[in-house]
Amino acid sequence: MSYYSDIVNSMHSYELLTGAGAVSVTTAVTYLATTGADAITLAAAQISQLKMISVASTNNTATLNSAGYEEGWTNITFDAVGEWVILRYNGRAWRVVASYGATINTT
């Protein structure tokens, strides 16, 4: 399967991450259901891969750290339903492409 096919197929894939943990790099979208002050992480991915993270339900906050794979930000905090961010992996780091409501803490 080609990279293009992977992208098209992944546009229909999502996960629901409840509580703290690792965000999948094999799905296009991750919906968050926070259970407390949740720490979430995001690993390296394929070059030009897009990732959307959105809050589906919240009982507190979720803070995204990318374990050294971030560029232009140190962490991203989500604390309300409907907040989201779209990230793009450039081969060495995740860059913020667009966001709504999430707090992007910069370096």
mmCIF file with all atom_site columns, all heavy atoms in Angstrom, residues 16 20 22-23 26 30 34 37 41-42 48 50 53 55 59 61 66 68 70 72-74 96 98-99 105-107:
data_model
loop_
_atom_site.group_PDB
_atom_site.id
_atom_site.type_symbol
_atom_site.label_atom_id
_atom_site.label_alt_id
_atom_site.label_comp_id
_atom_site.label_asym_id
_atom_site.label_entity_id
_atom_site.label_seq_id
_atom_site.pdbx_PDB_ins_code
_atom_site.Cartn_x
_atom_site.Cartn_y
_atom_site.Cartn_z
_atom_site.occupancy
_atom_site.B_iso_or_equiv
_atom_site.pdbx_formal_charge
_atom_site.auth_seq_id
_atom_site.auth_comp_id
_atom_site.auth_asym_id
_atom_site.auth_atom_id
_atom_site.pdbx_PDB_model_num
ATOM 1   N N   . LEU A 1 16  ? -10.382 6.739  20.772 1.00 0.00 ? 16  LEU A N   1
ATOM 2   C CA  . LEU A 1 16  ? -10.829 7.469  21.949 1.00 0.00 ? 16  LEU A CA  1
ATOM 3   C C   . LEU A 1 16  ? -9.842  7.148  23.053 1.00 0.00 ? 16  LEU A C   1
ATOM 4   O O   . LEU A 1 16  ? -9.719  5.994  23.459 1.00 0.00 ? 16  LEU A O   1
ATOM 5   C CB  . LEU A 1 16  ? -12.245 7.061  22.360 1.00 0.00 ? 16  LEU A CB  1
ATOM 6   C CG  . LEU A 1 16  ? -12.747 7.693  23.664 1.00 0.00 ? 16  LEU A CG  1
ATOM 7   C CD1 . LEU A 1 16  ? -12.843 9.209  23.532 1.00 0.00 ? 16  LEU A CD1 1
ATOM 8   C CD2 . LEU A 1 16  ? -14.091 7.107  24.051 1.00 0.00 ? 16  LEU A CD2 1
ATOM 9   N N   . ALA A 1 20  ? -4.923  9.352  30.928 1.00 0.00 ? 20  ALA A N   1
ATOM 10  C CA  . ALA A 1 20  ? -3.543  9.562  30.487 1.00 0.00 ? 20  ALA A CA  1
ATOM 11  C C   . ALA A 1 20  ? -3.099  8.442  29.560 1.00 0.00 ? 20  ALA A C   1
ATOM 12  O O   . ALA A 1 20  ? -3.652  7.350  29.571 1.00 0.00 ? 20  ALA A O   1
ATOM 13  C CB  . ALA A 1 20  ? -2.629  9.629  31.707 1.00 0.00 ? 20  ALA A CB  1
ATOM 14  N N   . ALA A 1 22  ? -0.581  7.318  25.727 1.00 0.00 ? 22  ALA A N   1
ATOM 15  C CA  . ALA A 1 22  ? 0.043   7.670  24.452 1.00 0.00 ? 22  ALA A CA  1
ATOM 16  C C   . ALA A 1 22  ? -1.015  7.822  23.368 1.00 0.00 ? 22  ALA A C   1
ATOM 17  O O   . ALA A 1 22  ? -1.891  6.982  23.214 1.00 0.00 ? 22  ALA A O   1
ATOM 18  C CB  . ALA A 1 22  ? 1.043   6.606  24.053 1.00 0.00 ? 22  ALA A CB  1
ATOM 19  N N   . VAL A 1 23  ? -0.901  8.902  22.613 1.00 0.00 ? 23  VAL A N   1
ATOM 20  C CA  . VAL A 1 23  ? -1.761  9.141  21.462 1.00 0.00 ? 23  VAL A CA  1
ATOM 21  C C   . VAL A 1 23  ? -1.244  8.274  20.315 1.00 0.00 ? 23  VAL A C   1
ATOM 22  O O   . VAL A 1 23  ? -0.049  8.232  20.060 1.00 0.00 ? 23  VAL A O   1
ATOM 23  C CB  . VAL A 1 23  ? -1.719  10.645 21.077 1.00 0.00 ? 23  VAL A CB  1
ATOM 24  C CG1 . VAL A 1 23  ? -2.407  10.897 19.759 1.00 0.00 ? 23  VAL A CG1 1
ATOM 25  C CG2 . VAL A 1 23  ? -2.313  11.490 22.187 1.00 0.00 ? 23  VAL A CG2 1
ATOM 26  N N   . THR A 1 26  ? -1.048  5.877  14.471 1.00 0.00 ? 26  THR A N   1
ATOM 27  C CA  . THR A 1 26  ? -1.592  5.077  13.365 1.00 0.00 ? 26  THR A CA  1
ATOM 28  C C   . THR A 1 26  ? -3.034  5.454  13.035 1.00 0.00 ? 26  THR A C   1
ATOM 29  O O   . THR A 1 26  ? -3.615  4.882  12.120 1.00 0.00 ? 26  THR A O   1
ATOM 30  C CB  . THR A 1 26  ? -1.509  3.575  13.672 1.00 0.00 ? 26  THR A CB  1
ATOM 31  O OG1 . THR A 1 26  ? -2.285  3.297  14.836 1.00 0.00 ? 26  THR A OG1 1
ATOM 32  C CG2 . THR A 1 26  ? -0.064  3.139  13.886 1.00 0.00 ? 26  THR A CG2 1
ATOM 33  N N   . THR A 1 30  ? -7.509  11.573 17.246 1.00 0.00 ? 30  THR A N   1
ATOM 34  C CA  . THR A 1 30  ? -7.638  11.075 18.613 1.00 0.00 ? 30  THR A CA  1
ATOM 35  C C   . THR A 1 30  ? -8.601  11.979 19.350 1.00 0.00 ? 30  THR A C   1
ATOM 36  O O   . THR A 1 30  ? -8.424  13.202 19.378 1.00 0.00 ? 30  THR A O   1
ATOM 37  C CB  . THR A 1 30  ? -6.285  11.056 19.344 1.00 0.00 ? 30  THR A CB  1
ATOM 38  O OG1 . THR A 1 30  ? -5.409  10.149 18.682 1.00 0.00 ? 30  THR A OG1 1
ATOM 39  C CG2 . THR A 1 30  ? -6.445  10.632 20.796 1.00 0.00 ? 30  THR A CG2 1
ATOM 40  N N   . THR A 1 34  ? -10.970 13.206 29.161 1.00 0.00 ? 34  THR A N   1
ATOM 41  C CA  . THR A 1 34  ? -10.102 13.393 30.320 1.00 0.00 ? 34  THR A CA  1
ATOM 42  C C   . THR A 1 34  ? -10.779 12.889 31.585 1.00 0.00 ? 34  THR A C   1
ATOM 43  O O   . THR A 1 34  ? -11.985 12.979 31.742 1.00 0.00 ? 34  THR A O   1
ATOM 44  C CB  . THR A 1 34  ? -9.698  14.864 30.496 1.00 0.00 ? 34  THR A CB  1
ATOM 45  O OG1 . THR A 1 34  ? -10.848 15.637 30.767 1.00 0.00 ? 34  THR A OG1 1
ATOM 46  C CG2 . THR A 1 34  ? -8.998  15.395 29.260 1.00 0.00 ? 34  THR A CG2 1
ATOM 47  N N   . ALA A 1 37  ? -6.114  15.283 35.743 1.00 0.00 ? 37  ALA A N   1
ATOM 48  C CA  . ALA A 1 37  ? -5.042  16.051 35.120 1.00 0.00 ? 37  ALA A CA  1
ATOM 49  C C   . ALA A 1 37  ? -4.193  15.056 34.329 1.00 0.00 ? 37  ALA A C   1
ATOM 50  O O   . ALA A 1 37  ? -3.185  14.559 34.800 1.00 0.00 ? 37  ALA A O   1
ATOM 51  C CB  . ALA A 1 37  ? -4.216  16.768 36.175 1.00 0.00 ? 37  ALA A CB  1
ATOM 52  N N   . THR A 1 41  ? 1.040   11.731 25.564 1.00 0.00 ? 41  THR A N   1
ATOM 53  C CA  . THR A 1 41  ? 2.276   11.847 24.804 1.00 0.00 ? 41  THR A CA  1
ATOM 54  C C   . THR A 1 41  ? 2.027   11.511 23.340 1.00 0.00 ? 41  THR A C   1
ATOM 55  O O   . THR A 1 41  ? 1.057   10.830 22.997 1.00 0.00 ? 41  THR A O   1
ATOM 56  C CB  . THR A 1 41  ? 3.359   10.904 25.350 1.00 0.00 ? 41  THR A CB  1
ATOM 57  O OG1 . THR A 1 41  ? 2.878   9.555  25.293 1.00 0.00 ? 41  THR A OG1 1
ATOM 58  C CG2 . THR A 1 41  ? 3.725   11.256 26.787 1.00 0.00 ? 41  THR A CG2 1
ATOM 59  N N   . LEU A 1 42  ? 2.925   11.967 22.485 1.00 0.00 ? 42  LEU A N   1
ATOM 60  C CA  . LEU A 1 42  ? 2.849   11.719 21.054 1.00 0.00 ? 42  LEU A CA  1
ATOM 61  C C   . LEU A 1 42  ? 4.249   11.426 20.538 1.00 0.00 ? 42  LEU A C   1
ATOM 62  O O   . LEU A 1 42  ? 5.150   12.236 20.690 1.00 0.00 ? 42  LEU A O   1
ATOM 63  C CB  . LEU A 1 42  ? 2.254   12.943 20.340 1.00 0.00 ? 42  LEU A CB  1
ATOM 64  C CG  . LEU A 1 42  ? 2.058   12.860 18.844 1.00 0.00 ? 42  LEU A CG  1
ATOM 65  C CD1 . LEU A 1 42  ? 1.092   11.737 18.478 1.00 0.00 ? 42  LEU A CD1 1
ATOM 66  C CD2 . LEU A 1 42  ? 1.537   14.190 18.310 1.00 0.00 ? 42  LEU A CD2 1
ATOM 67  N N   . SER A 1 48  ? 5.396   14.190 6.969  1.00 0.00 ? 48  SER A N   1
ATOM 68  C CA  . SER A 1 48  ? 4.174   14.834 6.479  1.00 0.00 ? 48  SER A CA  1
ATOM 69  C C   . SER A 1 48  ? 2.885   14.268 7.051  1.00 0.00 ? 48  SER A C   1
ATOM 70  O O   . SER A 1 48  ? 1.797   14.642 6.624  1.00 0.00 ? 48  SER A O   1
ATOM 71  C CB  . SER A 1 48  ? 4.096   14.804 4.948  1.00 0.00 ? 48  SER A CB  1
ATOM 72  O OG  . SER A 1 48  ? 5.148   15.568 4.417  1.00 0.00 ? 48  SER A OG  1
ATOM 73  N N   . LEU A 1 50  ? -0.288  13.930 9.279  1.00 0.00 ? 50  LEU A N   1
ATOM 74  C CA  . LEU A 1 50  ? -1.141  14.853 10.007 1.00 0.00 ? 50  LEU A CA  1
ATOM 75  C C   . LEU A 1 50  ? -1.803  14.126 11.169 1.00 0.00 ? 50  LEU A C   1
ATOM 76  O O   . LEU A 1 50  ? -2.129  12.947 11.059 1.00 0.00 ? 50  LEU A O   1
ATOM 77  C CB  . LEU A 1 50  ? -2.227  15.423 9.107  1.00 0.00 ? 50  LEU A CB  1
ATOM 78  C CG  . LEU A 1 50  ? -1.754  16.335 7.982  1.00 0.00 ? 50  LEU A CG  1
ATOM 79  C CD1 . LEU A 1 50  ? -2.906  16.666 7.051  1.00 0.00 ? 50  LEU A CD1 1
ATOM 80  C CD2 . LEU A 1 50  ? -1.134  17.602 8.535  1.00 0.00 ? 50  LEU A CD2 1
ATOM 81  N N   . ILE A 1 53  ? -6.065  16.125 17.286 1.00 0.00 ? 53  ILE A N   1
ATOM 82  C CA  . ILE A 1 53  ? -6.415  15.745 18.654 1.00 0.00 ? 53  ILE A CA  1
ATOM 83  C C   . ILE A 1 53  ? -7.541  16.672 19.090 1.00 0.00 ? 53  ILE A C   1
ATOM 84  O O   . ILE A 1 53  ? -7.419  17.893 18.979 1.00 0.00 ? 53  ILE A O   1
ATOM 85  C CB  . ILE A 1 53  ? -5.205  15.853 19.600 1.00 0.00 ? 53  ILE A CB  1
ATOM 86  C CG1 . ILE A 1 53  ? -4.062  14.957 19.098 1.00 0.00 ? 53  ILE A CG1 1
ATOM 87  C CG2 . ILE A 1 53  ? -5.599  15.490 21.024 1.00 0.00 ? 53  ILE A CG2 1
ATOM 88  C CD1 . ILE A 1 53  ? -2.748  15.162 19.812 1.00 0.00 ? 53  ILE A CD1 1
ATOM 89  N N   . VAL A 1 55  ? -10.976 17.282 22.019 1.00 0.00 ? 55  VAL A N   1
ATOM 90  C CA  . VAL A 1 55  ? -11.566 16.919 23.308 1.00 0.00 ? 55  VAL A CA  1
ATOM 91  C C   . VAL A 1 55  ? -13.037 16.540 23.103 1.00 0.00 ? 55  VAL A C   1
ATOM 92  O O   . VAL A 1 55  ? -13.839 17.344 22.638 1.00 0.00 ? 55  VAL A O   1
ATOM 93  C CB  . VAL A 1 55  ? -11.451 18.072 24.327 1.00 0.00 ? 55  VAL A CB  1
ATOM 94  C CG1 . VAL A 1 55  ? -12.086 17.677 25.652 1.00 0.00 ? 55  VAL A CG1 1
ATOM 95  C CG2 . VAL A 1 55  ? -10.002 18.477 24.513 1.00 0.00 ? 55  VAL A CG2 1
ATOM 96  N N   . ASN A 1 59  ? -13.226 16.089 32.370 1.00 0.00 ? 59  ASN A N   1
ATOM 97  C CA  . ASN A 1 59  ? -13.445 16.238 33.802 1.00 0.00 ? 59  ASN A CA  1
ATOM 98  C C   . ASN A 1 59  ? -12.346 17.095 34.411 1.00 0.00 ? 59  ASN A C   1
ATOM 99  O O   . ASN A 1 59  ? -12.374 17.358 35.599 1.00 0.00 ? 59  ASN A O   1
ATOM 100 C CB  . ASN A 1 59  ? -13.482 14.875 34.499 1.00 0.00 ? 59  ASN A CB  1
ATOM 101 C CG  . ASN A 1 59  ? -14.761 14.130 34.175 1.00 0.00 ? 59  ASN A CG  1
ATOM 102 O OD1 . ASN A 1 59  ? -15.807 14.732 34.037 1.00 0.00 ? 59  ASN A OD1 1
ATOM 103 N ND2 . ASN A 1 59  ? -14.651 12.830 34.016 1.00 0.00 ? 59  ASN A ND2 1
ATOM 104 N N   . THR A 1 61  ? -8.146  18.501 32.849 1.00 0.00 ? 61  THR A N   1
ATOM 105 C CA  . THR A 1 61  ? -7.289  18.923 31.739 1.00 0.00 ? 61  THR A CA  1
ATOM 106 C C   . THR A 1 61  ? -6.467  17.745 31.213 1.00 0.00 ? 61  THR A C   1
ATOM 107 O O   . THR A 1 61  ? -6.258  16.751 31.914 1.00 0.00 ? 61  THR A O   1
ATOM 108 C CB  . THR A 1 61  ? -6.297  20.024 32.164 1.00 0.00 ? 61  THR A CB  1
ATOM 109 O OG1 . THR A 1 61  ? -5.447  19.496 33.180 1.00 0.00 ? 61  THR A OG1 1
ATOM 110 C CG2 . THR A 1 61  ? -7.010  21.257 32.667 1.00 0.00 ? 61  THR A CG2 1
ATOM 111 N N   . SER A 1 66  ? 5.442   15.884 23.686 1.00 0.00 ? 66  SER A N   1
ATOM 112 C CA  . SER A 1 66  ? 5.848   15.068 22.555 1.00 0.00 ? 66  SER A CA  1
ATOM 113 C C   . SER A 1 66  ? 7.253   14.498 22.700 1.00 0.00 ? 66  SER A C   1
ATOM 114 O O   . SER A 1 66  ? 7.896   14.155 21.714 1.00 0.00 ? 66  SER A O   1
ATOM 115 C CB  . SER A 1 66  ? 5.726   15.876 21.262 1.00 0.00 ? 66  SER A CB  1
ATOM 116 O OG  . SER A 1 66  ? 5.956   15.063 20.159 1.00 0.00 ? 66  SER A OG  1
ATOM 117 N N   . GLY A 1 68  ? 10.272  15.439 23.076 1.00 0.00 ? 68  GLY A N   1
ATOM 118 C CA  . GLY A 1 68  ? 11.374  15.943 22.263 1.00 0.00 ? 68  GLY A CA  1
ATOM 119 C C   . GLY A 1 68  ? 11.058  16.036 20.787 1.00 0.00 ? 68  GLY A C   1
ATOM 120 O O   . GLY A 1 68  ? 11.891  16.465 19.996 1.00 0.00 ? 68  GLY A O   1
ATOM 121 N N   . GLU A 1 70  ? 8.671   17.982 19.461 1.00 0.00 ? 70  GLU A N   1
ATOM 122 C CA  . GLU A 1 70  ? 7.874   19.166 19.206 1.00 0.00 ? 70  GLU A CA  1
ATOM 123 C C   . GLU A 1 70  ? 8.751   20.271 18.616 1.00 0.00 ? 70  GLU A C   1
ATOM 124 O O   . GLU A 1 70  ? 9.947   20.301 18.834 1.00 0.00 ? 70  GLU A O   1
ATOM 125 C CB  . GLU A 1 70  ? 7.178   19.653 20.479 1.00 0.00 ? 70  GLU A CB  1
ATOM 126 C CG  . GLU A 1 70  ? 8.100   20.105 21.579 1.00 0.00 ? 70  GLU A CG  1
ATOM 127 C CD  . GLU A 1 70  ? 8.692   18.970 22.396 1.00 0.00 ? 70  GLU A CD  1
ATOM 128 O OE1 . GLU A 1 70  ? 8.075   17.915 22.536 1.00 0.00 ? 70  GLU A OE1 1
ATOM 129 O OE2 . GLU A 1 70  ? 9.809   19.175 22.900 1.00 0.00 ? 70  GLU A OE2 1
ATOM 130 N N   . GLY A 1 72  ? 8.484   24.522 18.151 1.00 0.00 ? 72  GLY A N   1
ATOM 131 C CA  . GLY A 1 72  ? 7.741   25.760 18.340 1.00 0.00 ? 72  GLY A CA  1
ATOM 132 C C   . GLY A 1 72  ? 6.792   25.725 19.521 1.00 0.00 ? 72  GLY A C   1
ATOM 133 O O   . GLY A 1 72  ? 6.089   26.699 19.765 1.00 0.00 ? 72  GLY A O   1
ATOM 134 N N   . TRP A 1 73  ? 6.745   24.620 20.236 1.00 0.00 ? 73  TRP A N   1
ATOM 135 C CA  . TRP A 1 73  ? 5.882   24.500 21.413 1.00 0.00 ? 73  TRP A CA  1
ATOM 136 C C   . TRP A 1 73  ? 6.511   23.527 22.409 1.00 0.00 ? 73  TRP A C   1
ATOM 137 O O   . TRP A 1 73  ? 7.303   22.672 22.037 1.00 0.00 ? 73  TRP A O   1
ATOM 138 C CB  . TRP A 1 73  ? 4.474   24.070 21.035 1.00 0.00 ? 73  TRP A CB  1
ATOM 139 C CG  . TRP A 1 73  ? 4.376   22.787 20.253 1.00 0.00 ? 73  TRP A CG  1
ATOM 140 C CD1 . TRP A 1 73  ? 4.565   22.639 18.906 1.00 0.00 ? 73  TRP A CD1 1
ATOM 141 C CD2 . TRP A 1 73  ? 4.078   21.486 20.754 1.00 0.00 ? 73  TRP A CD2 1
ATOM 142 N NE1 . TRP A 1 73  ? 4.401   21.321 18.548 1.00 0.00 ? 73  TRP A NE1 1
ATOM 143 C CE2 . TRP A 1 73  ? 4.097   20.591 19.657 1.00 0.00 ? 73  TRP A CE2 1
ATOM 144 C CE3 . TRP A 1 73  ? 3.802   20.981 22.019 1.00 0.00 ? 73  TRP A CE3 1
ATOM 145 C CZ2 . TRP A 1 73  ? 3.850   19.233 19.786 1.00 0.00 ? 73  TRP A CZ2 1
ATOM 146 C CZ3 . TRP A 1 73  ? 3.554   19.619 22.151 1.00 0.00 ? 73  TRP A CZ3 1
ATOM 147 C CH2 . TRP A 1 73  ? 3.571   18.767 21.047 1.00 0.00 ? 73  TRP A CH2 1
ATOM 148 N N   . THR A 1 74  ? 6.165   23.689 23.667 1.00 0.00 ? 74  THR A N   1
ATOM 149 C CA  . THR A 1 74  ? 6.671   22.780 24.697 1.00 0.00 ? 74  THR A CA  1
ATOM 150 C C   . THR A 1 74  ? 5.609   21.788 25.128 1.00 0.00 ? 74  THR A C   1
ATOM 151 O O   . THR A 1 74  ? 5.896   20.637 25.378 1.00 0.00 ? 74  THR A O   1
ATOM 152 C CB  . THR A 1 74  ? 7.175   23.559 25.930 1.00 0.00 ? 74  THR A CB  1
ATOM 153 O OG1 . THR A 1 74  ? 6.140   24.430 26.378 1.00 0.00 ? 74  THR A OG1 1
ATOM 154 C CG2 . THR A 1 74  ? 8.418   24.362 25.592 1.00 0.00 ? 74  THR A CG2 1
ATOM 155 N N   . VAL A 1 96  ? 2.556   22.685 14.896 1.00 0.00 ? 96  VAL A N   1
ATOM 156 C CA  . VAL A 1 96  ? 1.141   23.032 14.963 1.00 0.00 ? 96  VAL A CA  1
ATOM 157 C C   . VAL A 1 96  ? 0.735   23.647 13.630 1.00 0.00 ? 96  VAL A C   1
ATOM 158 O O   . VAL A 1 96  ? 1.332   24.621 13.178 1.00 0.00 ? 96  VAL A O   1
ATOM 159 C CB  . VAL A 1 96  ? 0.862   24.014 16.122 1.00 0.00 ? 96  VAL A CB  1
ATOM 160 C CG1 . VAL A 1 96  ? -0.592  24.468 16.103 1.00 0.00 ? 96  VAL A CG1 1
ATOM 161 C CG2 . VAL A 1 96  ? 1.217   23.376 17.457 1.00 0.00 ? 96  VAL A CG2 1
ATOM 162 N N   . ALA A 1 98  ? -2.888  24.069 12.921 1.00 0.00 ? 98  ALA A N   1
ATOM 163 C CA  . ALA A 1 98  ? -4.075  24.848 13.269 1.00 0.00 ? 98  ALA A CA  1
ATOM 164 C C   . ALA A 1 98  ? -4.553  24.400 14.645 1.00 0.00 ? 98  ALA A C   1
ATOM 165 O O   . ALA A 1 98  ? -4.236  23.297 15.087 1.00 0.00 ? 98  ALA A O   1
ATOM 166 C CB  . ALA A 1 98  ? -5.179  24.642 12.233 1.00 0.00 ? 98  ALA A CB  1
ATOM 167 N N   . SER A 1 99  ? -5.329  25.271 15.293 1.00 0.00 ? 99  SER A N   1
ATOM 168 C CA  . SER A 1 99  ? -5.870  24.895 16.600 1.00 0.00 ? 99  SER A CA  1
ATOM 169 C C   . SER A 1 99  ? -7.098  25.737 16.908 1.00 0.00 ? 99  SER A C   1
ATOM 170 O O   . SER A 1 99  ? -7.311  26.794 16.306 1.00 0.00 ? 99  SER A O   1
ATOM 171 C CB  . SER A 1 99  ? -4.837  25.076 17.714 1.00 0.00 ? 99  SER A CB  1
ATOM 172 O OG  . SER A 1 99  ? -4.551  26.451 17.897 1.00 0.00 ? 99  SER A OG  1
ATOM 173 N N   . ASN A 1 105 ? 1.621   26.212 24.576 1.00 0.00 ? 105 ASN A N   1
ATOM 174 C CA  . ASN A 1 105 ? 2.725   26.823 25.330 1.00 0.00 ? 105 ASN A CA  1
ATOM 175 C C   . ASN A 1 105 ? 3.966   26.743 24.469 1.00 0.00 ? 105 ASN A C   1
ATOM 176 O O   . ASN A 1 105 ? 4.386   25.656 24.060 1.00 0.00 ? 105 ASN A O   1
ATOM 177 C CB  . ASN A 1 105 ? 2.913   26.102 26.650 1.00 0.00 ? 105 ASN A CB  1
ATOM 178 C CG  . ASN A 1 105 ? 1.655   26.195 27.500 1.00 0.00 ? 105 ASN A CG  1
ATOM 179 O OD1 . ASN A 1 105 ? 1.232   27.276 27.857 1.00 0.00 ? 105 ASN A OD1 1
ATOM 180 N ND2 . ASN A 1 105 ? 1.036   25.056 27.771 1.00 0.00 ? 105 ASN A ND2 1
ATOM 181 N N   . THR A 1 106 ? 4.560   27.893 24.177 1.00 0.00 ? 106 THR A N   1
ATOM 182 C CA  . THR A 1 106 ? 5.684   27.958 23.238 1.00 0.00 ? 106 THR A CA  1
ATOM 183 C C   . THR A 1 106 ? 7.019   27.939 23.963 1.00 0.00 ? 106 THR A C   1
ATOM 184 O O   . THR A 1 106 ? 7.112   28.231 25.142 1.00 0.00 ? 106 THR A O   1
ATOM 185 C CB  . THR A 1 106 ? 5.605   29.228 22.371 1.00 0.00 ? 106 THR A CB  1
ATOM 186 O OG1 . THR A 1 106 ? 5.599   30.373 23.224 1.00 0.00 ? 106 THR A OG1 1
ATOM 187 C CG2 . THR A 1 106 ? 4.348   29.221 21.528 1.00 0.00 ? 106 THR A CG2 1
ATOM 188 N N   . THR A 1 107 ? 8.039   27.587 23.179 1.00 0.00 ? 107 THR A N   1
ATOM 189 C CA  . THR A 1 107 ? 9.407   27.521 23.726 1.00 0.00 ? 107 THR A CA  1
ATOM 190 C C   . THR A 1 107 ? 9.995   28.892 23.819 1.00 0.00 ? 107 THR A C   1
ATOM 191 O O   . THR A 1 107 ? 9.563   29.831 23.208 1.00 0.00 ? 107 THR A O   1
ATOM 192 C CB  . THR A 1 107 ? 10.289  26.637 22.833 1.00 0.00 ? 107 THR A CB  1
ATOM 193 O OG1 . THR A 1 107 ? 10.228  27.149 21.496 1.00 0.00 ? 107 THR A OG1 1
ATOM 194 C CG2 . THR A 1 107 ? 9.875   25.220 22.872 1.00 0.00 ? 107 THR A CG2 1
#
